[in-house]
Amino acid sequence: MATRFQPRRTAPGRFSPARFSPRPVQAPQPTRLPLPPAAVIDAILRFRDVELDQGGQRTLLRLSDRALREPQVVAALGGDTRRAANVAILWNERESEIVRVLEGVDARMAA
């Protein structure tokens, strides 16, 4: 049955494959910042003291300035204490899972 149909022929100079570039143009990839280290995320989940209800059974978790000065939190974070101050986690209460990790000025302003 495949032999019944002939390949489509194009008129010369009209949409011929030879006119197009063989390599497609790629859109520039956005630069992404690396995720915070696992120690930061773990410390926020274990020692969080700021919990803000976001609705839809979601909660924003983060560490306060007071919690960041506690010895056990400093020991868990190591050298990432300054970075942990700017990280917040959006937590889904129903599924008990992380929805999104927010980092930067936006994490502090959302709280």
Side-chain angles (χ1 to χ4, degrees), residues 39-40 42-43 46-47 63 67-81 84:
V40 171
D42 180 56
R46 285 194 306 166
F47 304 113
L63 296 170
L68 288 169
R69 289 190 296 268
E70 292 182 10
Q72 59 188 3
V73 176
V74 172
L77 289 172
D80 293 323
T81 306

Side-chain angles (χ1 to χ4, degrees), residues 87-101:
V87 175
I89 296 175
L90 189 59
W91 180 258
N92 186 339
E93 292 292 331
R94 182 172 20 139
E95 301 292 330
S96 295
E97 66 183 6
I98 295 174
V99 175
R100 181 164 292 173
V101 176

Side-chain angles (χ1 to χ4, degrees), residues 2-72:
T3 58
R4 284 183 55 193
F5 300 103
Q6 297 293 324
R8 178 177 271 186
R9 295 186 182 139
T10 59
R14 187 163 189 246
F15 302 114
S16 67
R19 289 182 54 191
F20 295 108
S21 172
R23 186 172 41 163
V25 177
Q26 294 179 351
Q29 298 293 325
T31 56
R32 289 187 168 185
L33 296 174
L35 287 175
V40 171
I41 295 172
D42 180 56
I44 292 173
L45 291 175
R46 285 194 306 166
F47 304 113
R48 66 183 180 263
D49 60 342
V50 177
E51 297 182 6
L52 300 169
D53 184 26
Q54 301 294 307
Q57 296 184 347
R58 294 181 180 186
T59 306
L60 189 71
L61 311 174
R62 66 181 185 91
L63 296 170
S64 68
D65 293 331
R66 189 187 79 220
L68 288 169
R69 289 190 296 268
E70 292 182 10
Q72 59 188 3

